Amino acid sequence: NSKFTTEQMESLRFILLTDNRRNLLEEYQQLILGDQADGGIMMFNTSFSYEVMGSWEVCKKHLLKKSPSQKLDILIAFTHNIKEWDDWMHDNEGGMDALVKGLAAAWRNLIKKNDDSALGWDMEYTKPAVMDLLNQFKKKIDSMDSC
């Protein structure tokens, strides 16, 4: 039985999953991983970066004409999955800066142009967790070999 300190417990972040968020996480995992989504053993190479770029193009289309809370759910799902399956960050032929800059702009515009109630996230858990997700993603991007 491990004991956790108060400090350790306070460092945990939770994104509360609505049915829509859960479904989108699965949908974007399928989109990004393609045929490998349901596989037990996955293999990634440079071509995976092209699949990630293609999935960003699909994501951008999904964001059109959506409410702020729907956009939030889509961006959470997309960002989580490309952060989780990050081989594209280390094995690509360049050109990933379009994805990185586009995704950063989408997040920035969404957060700056909408208040918390329009985004539909709870302030206690989801907002801090999403901000932490974005920080973690930025650290990974900053450590990339090249874009």
Side-chain angles (χ1 to χ4, degrees), residues 6 8 12 26 39 53 59-60 69-70 77 79-80 82 89 95 98 102-103 111 113-114 127 132 138 142 144:
T6 301
Q8 289 171 319
L12 298 176
E26 293 171 7
M53 280 298 293
C59 181
K60 288 191 300 187
S69 64
Q70 290 170 320
T79 304
H80 167 76
I82 66 169
M89 292 182 187
L103 183 57
I111 292 171
K113 292 180 180 179
N114 298 283
K127 183 177 182 179
D132 194 54
K138 183 183 182 312
D142 290 344
M144 279 177 66

Side-chain angles (χ1 to χ4, degrees), residues 83 86 89 136-144:
K83 177 187 160 287
D86 64 355
M89 292 182 187
Q136 290 174 22
F137 185 71
K138 183 183 182 312
K139 285 179 186 174
K140 280 191 168 198
I141 294 298
D142 290 344
S143 72
M144 279 177 66

Side-chain angles (χ1 to χ4, degrees), residues 48-99:
F48 180 61
S49 65
Y50 299 118
E51 293 174 36
V52 171
M53 280 298 293
S55 66
W56 171 237
E57 294 304 317
V58 172
C59 181
K60 288 191 300 187
K61 289 177 184 167
H62 288 172
L63 291 169
L64 297 174
K65 299 181 182 178
K66 299 290 185 186
S67 71
S69 64
Q70 290 170 320
K71 288 179 182 181
L72 176 70
D73 291 353
I74 290 167
L75 288 173
I76 288 171
F78 183 78
T79 304
H80 167 76
N81 276 293
I82 66 169
K83 177 187 160 287
E84 196 67 24
W85 308 103
D86 64 355
D87 294 83
W88 64 272
M89 292 182 187
H90 311 290
D91 190 359
N92 64 73
E93 294 179 355
M96 302 309 288
D97 56 332
L99 179 152

